[in-house]
Amino acid sequence: VTNGGKTTLAEKLKKMLPNCDIISQDDFFKPESEVETDERGFKLYDVLDALYMDEMVKSIRNWMKSPESSGVVTEELQNTCDNLKNTEDVYILIVEGFLLYNYEPLCEIWNRRYFLTLPYEECKRRRSTRVYQPADTPGYFDGHVWPMYLKYKNELEENATNIVYLDGTKSQEELLSCVYSDIIQELKKLRE
């Protein structure tokens, strides 16, 4: 969901996990001139066609081929706990965005999938505090953003499996703790 805390969560995880990098779907938006406009004058940003998805897939696959040469900086981790010992040869890529699980070429690459949700009112409130380029026009949230979120969420629920749904109204600390713990469990499995 838009403004659900995806980027914030990804950035906090990156600081806590070894050899971790992020690819953000927001970096693959087409220029405004290439984004379709509907009959109401709304720029259709909340659809896959507004993104260079092939380029995103290529970036992910390139990272997967050679994560150690991807520019990931092994920094002193903020959380140096016993859970992370013997993981220096493991590389973690966090891919964050709002239309990831509905794009078929990406479906087979996910190890873990998290989906942040927000109720309508909270989402609209958060969205109203953000400044976008181009700016949201009056009625854009109700006329395009929220309906597209519901459409893609419904498709996801019908077609995807193994998704952990996260309540975006929970505190950043709670969300971070939940996802971090889950990733630590995955790392333990890799070591075994």
Side-chain angles (χ1 to χ4, degrees):
V1 68
T2 182
N3 294 279
K6 299 176 297 296
T7 303
T8 301
L9 179 59
E11 289 172 355
K12 287 181 181 233
L13 285 166
K14 181 179 179 177
K15 289 178 182 175
M16 296 176 70
L17 295 167
N19 303 323
C20 185
D21 206 356
I22 298 172
I23 291 179
S24 176
Q25 193 173 38
D26 285 352
D27 294 335
F28 296 89
F29 272 109
K30 293 178 179 175
E32 184 180 359
S33 61
E34 293 182 37
V35 176
E36 288 186 43
T37 304
D38 72 5
E39 66 280 353
R40 299 166 294 181
F42 293 149
K43 284 287 189 180
L44 303 179
Y45 279 103
D46 290 62
V47 298
L48 287 166
D49 286 343
L51 297 147
Y52 292 119
M53 291 302 295
D54 291 342
E55 290 299 314
M56 183 177 189
V57 171
K58 189 187 326 180
S59 293
I60 293 167
R61 293 202 185 282
N62 285 341
W63 188 96
M64 291 170 70
K65 284 179 201 165
S66 184
E68 65 282 349
S69 64
S70 66
V72 173
V73 178
T74 307
E75 300 173 8
E76 186 67 30
L77 296 172
Q78 284 183 359
N79 188 353
T80 54
C81 67
D82 291 337
N83 291 330
L84 297 175
K85 286 183 180 167
N86 303 317
T87 58
E88 44 292 321
D89 58 343
V90 174
Y91 289 84
I92 299 169
L93 178 63
I94 298 171
V95 182
E96 68 92 9
F98 67 111
L99 290 174
L100 299 173
Y101 307 141
N102 301 77
Y103 190 64
E104 189 64 35
L106 290 175
C107 289
E108 78 273 3
I109 69 163
W110 310 122
N111 292 92
R112 306 298 293 158
R113 295 195 252 198
Y114 304 97
F115 189 91
L116 281 154
T117 63
L118 280 178
Y120 168 84
E121 289 298 333
E122 179 62 13
C123 186
K124 189 171 185 175
R125 184 193 68 74
R126 289 184 189 184
R127 178 87 181 199
S128 71
T129 66
R130 299 275 290 273
V131 177
Y132 289 93
Q133 266 318 359
D136 284 358
T137 56
Y140 188 67
F141 181 85
D142 289 320
H144 177 64
V145 175
W146 189 255
M148 289 296 98
Y149 163 68
L150 294 177
K151 174 186 183 287
Y152 286 113
K153 184 175 181 265
N154 287 336
E155 286 177 12
L156 178 69
E157 290 168 345
E158 289 174 14
N159 302 316
T161 58
N162 299 324
I163 295 177
V164 177
Y165 289 89
L166 301 170
D167 178 354
T169 63
K170 291 193 176 191
S171 72
Q172 291 179 7
E173 292 75 23
E174 284 178 276
L175 292 170
L176 179 63
S177 176
C178 173
V179 176
Y180 178 78
S181 297
D182 192 48
I183 292 171
I184 293 302
Q185 292 305 312
E186 283 298 302
L187 290 173
K188 284 180 181 177
K189 288 178 195 173
L190 284 173
R191 283 193 310 231
E192 293 171 357

